[in-house]
Amino acid sequence: MINREIIRTKIVQLTYAYYQNGNHNMDNAEKELLFCLSKAYHLYIYLLQLIVAISREERHRVEINTQKAEREGTEMPSQKFAFNKFAVQLEENKMLNDFIEEQKLTWDDDVEFIRKICNQIEQSETYQAYMSDTDDSYEADREVWRKLYKQLIQDNPELDALLEEKSLYWNDDKEVVDTFVLKTIRRFDQANKADQEILPEYKDEEDRDFATKLFRATILNADTYQLYMSETSRNWDFSRLAYMDVVIMQIAIAEMLTFPNIPVSVTIYEYVNQAKRYSTTKSGGYINGMLDSIARHLISTGKMLKPMPEPKQRRSAKREKTPDTEQPTEGQE
């Protein structure tokens, strides 16, 4: 679940903090990195658990309305959403429950939020269409939860504020983690019952190693990487570079030199995006040009053995596309 986008983001944050807090202890910084990454996985589990918490509240409502209907002799409430087949399978999932038990994650202290989001669900067109549809298949049950998640959970400022109160580590994680929750919903198969696999913390040991190797290379070779920046900054006003830009380029150079299978275009693209997210409005274009120059310098001096295409000739400003507007293919990453 913890992919390289999340890893790069955390390394940008923690490298900047490493230089700002003055406590230059590499071992402690590495432990902090791994802890931050584990918290992203906790958020993934917590958001899956939110679906279960909502379903339990819906069952409670059905129970109350059933008792009322029995007393008054009125029509019994539908149990369709409360016992949604996908949600029941998720609630019974062994991997999810084991992790919840181990980490003591719970929504029990947020009953009012759960009730509010249940109200929003019941008032939504998606819910109304689902309840009136005669299709009672597992696929329909899974699809309604995919739609509800996208509409009411993925972009929910109140939920974002609640999560921020629970963990400062979750500030920048939810946008990416949401995509993995939706991916998990799509992957669920009724035939797997409680043994359905949810996403593991890391896809493989290689991604965990990527995090620690990149972070250590960034910190331990800082002077060398900054020298490369200054050597190739003759056409750039290096003195006016924002400090965050220096940090981002330092990490990008570390990635270029430490991981031979990651194409240069991928590295540049990823860190231009980091600059757009964390630095100044002009940083993306500046870092795009600087990293391109640095990469070509490293290749020409034999410090890096990676291919790069020849620079494109400018034909017209309107027709030209710059590298930071095109997403490269990750290839072997």
Side-chain angles (χ1 to χ4, degrees):
M1 199 280 323
I2 297 173
N3 67 357
R4 295 192 177 184
E5 180 181 355
I6 294 175
I7 291 170
R8 289 180 177 109
T9 296
K10 294 301 182 186
I11 290 177
V12 167
Q13 294 170 348
L14 288 177
T15 301
Y16 184 84
Y18 179 87
Y19 292 119
Q20 292 297 306
N21 63 25
N23 181 18
H24 295 171
N25 185 307
M26 189 66 229
D27 290 337
N28 288 343
E30 187 175 288
K31 288 176 184 177
E32 178 72 5
L33 170 65
L34 294 175
F35 180 75
C36 287
L37 292 171
S38 71
K39 294 297 288 185
Y41 189 70
H42 290 188
L43 177 59
Y44 165 71
I45 297 295
Y46 201 51
L47 290 171
L48 287 175
Q49 192 185 11
L50 176 58
I51 296 174
V52 174
I54 291 169
S55 298
R56 288 173 178 170
E57 170 61 21
E58 289 291 335
R59 284 176 215 155
H60 178 65
R61 295 182 179 198
V62 167
E63 184 180 348
I64 291 173
N65 290 331
T66 298
Q67 293 171 357
K68 182 180 178 181
E70 288 173 346
R71 289 195 308 269
E72 299 176 357
T74 56
E75 183 180 357
M76 292 292 181
S78 171
Q79 298 186 356
K80 184 177 183 180
F81 186 69
F83 290 91
N84 174 285
K85 298 179 186 66
F86 160 75
V88 169
Q89 183 186 10
L90 181 64
E91 182 177 12
E92 296 172 350
N93 186 271
K94 292 178 181 177
M95 284 182 66
L96 181 67
N97 285 318
D98 286 347
F99 196 90
I100 289 170
E101 177 62 27
E102 179 185 341
Q103 299 297 327
K104 308 301 180 186
L105 297 174
T106 177
W107 284 92
D108 291 349
D109 295 332
D110 301 291
V111 176
E112 290 305 314
F113 173 77
I114 298 297
R115 289 172 179 166
K116 185 172 182 178
I117 201 166
C118 283
N119 292 340
Q120 292 172 351
I121 287 172
E122 292 171 10
Q123 293 164 11
S124 70
E125 292 182 4
T126 298
Y127 174 87
Q128 297 294 336
Y130 166 78
M131 294 300 284
S132 62
D133 196 337
T134 57
D135 186 355
D136 65 349
S137 67
Y138 175 87
E139 289 73 19
D141 282 11
R142 184 181 58 201
E143 177 62 12
V144 74
W145 262 114
R146 188 191 67 82
K147 289 180 178 179
L148 289 171
Y149 192 96
K150 290 188 72 173
Q151 293 165 5
L152 298 173
I153 298 175
Q154 187 168 9
D155 186 16
N156 186 319
E158 186 174 350
L159 174 58
D160 292 346
L162 185 151
L163 293 174
E164 185 174 349
E165 289 179 5
K166 292 182 179 295
S167 175
L168 292 175
Y169 293 100
W170 290 347
N171 284 357
D172 299 305
D173 293 343
K174 187 172 181 293
E175 183 179 348
V176 177
V177 173
D178 279 333
T179 65
F180 287 107
V181 174
L182 289 166
K183 182 177 182 179
T184 300
I185 294 172
R186 290 194 301 270
R187 283 187 171 188
F188 257 59
D189 186 331
Q190 187 177 24
N192 294 329
K193 300 181 180 179
D195 294 320
Q196 171 73 47
E197 290 188 357
I198 60 175
L199 298 176
E201 186 169 5
Y202 291 93
K203 180 183 67 176
D204 50 40
E205 195 62 29
E206 184 179 344
D207 276 350
R208 182 184 171 93
D209 289 343
F210 173 79
T212 55
K213 286 180 181 177
L214 178 58
F215 190 46
R216 280 192 168 270
T218 297
I219 302 299
L220 298 178
N221 300 305
D223 292 342
T224 301
Y225 299 158
Q226 291 186 23
L227 176 62
Y228 297 156
M229 292 182 216
S230 64
E231 287 175 348
T232 55
S233 65
R234 290 194 274 287
N235 296 325
W236 307 90
D237 191 357
F238 191 67
S239 64
R240 298 179 63 184
L241 195 64
Y243 185 65
M244 177 59 86
D245 292 353
V246 175
V247 168
I248 290 171
M249 287 198 293
Q250 185 175 317
I251 301 166
I253 296 168
E255 183 172 308
M256 288 180 189
L257 293 174
T258 308
F259 300 94
N261 289 335
I262 300 179
V264 172
S265 59
V266 170
T267 297
I268 293 177
Y269 175 83
E270 292 293 342
Y271 290 99
V272 165
N273 282 344
Q274 293 289 339
K276 290 176 180 178
R277 186 176 188 183
Y278 289 110
S279 198
T280 69
T281 55
K282 297 181 179 180
S283 291
Y286 185 94
I287 286 180
N288 180 73
M290 275 289 293
L291 288 179
D292 184 85
S293 297
I294 291 167
R296 295 183 189 282
H297 170 71
L298 294 175
I299 292 170
S300 67
T301 56
K303 297 180 179 70
M304 181 171 70
L305 301 176
K306 286 185 179 182
M308 280 188 73
E310 290 298 318
K312 292 181 180 179
Q313 296 295 320
R314 287 182 177 271
R315 294 183 179 179
S316 80
K318 291 183 179 178
R319 293 175 60 187
E320 184 187 21
K321 288 185 178 180
T322 55
D324 63 319
T325 61
E326 300 176 337
Q327 181 171 3
T329 303
E330 294 242 352
Q332 300 181 57
E333 180 179 357

